[in-house]
Amino acid sequence: MNWLQIKDAWRDIELTNKRYTFHLKAERGGGIATIKDAGCGMVIALSRDDLVELGRFLKPFVDEAE
């Protein structure tokens, strides 16, 4: 289990700044990341392995914020 999953409750994360909105919906088999700005939006399908790598990348930032 990685930090994206806590007791079978998968993360639904949204980060927003003045220019972009990043939304991640992580589920058991993979996930979807949506990136939006004022002009367009992009949807990226993520495999389970992608989520594990993303979790490894983001974990230090999450630990520091908590």
Side-chain angles (χ1 to χ4, degrees), residues 1 5-10:
M1 178 185 314
Q5 179 190 26
I6 300 174
K7 296 181 182 177
D8 291 327
W10 289 86

Side-chain angles (χ1 to χ4, degrees), residues 5-56:
Q5 179 190 26
I6 300 174
K7 296 181 182 177
D8 291 327
W10 289 86
R11 297 281 179 113
D12 191 354
I13 301 167
E14 185 166 295
L15 307 170
T16 304
N17 66 18
K18 291 181 181 180
R19 190 166 177 193
Y20 298 101
T21 297
F22 172 80
H23 182 253
L24 171 66
K25 177 65 177 170
E27 298 176 352
R28 184 169 302 281
I32 295 185
T34 306
I35 303 168
K36 297 178 188 172
D37 69 9
C40 68
M42 185 183 317
V43 177
I44 303 165
L46 302 169
S47 70
R48 184 178 180 91
D49 292 337
D50 293 335
L51 290 177
V52 170
E53 289 300 316
L54 182 60
R56 287 183 186 141

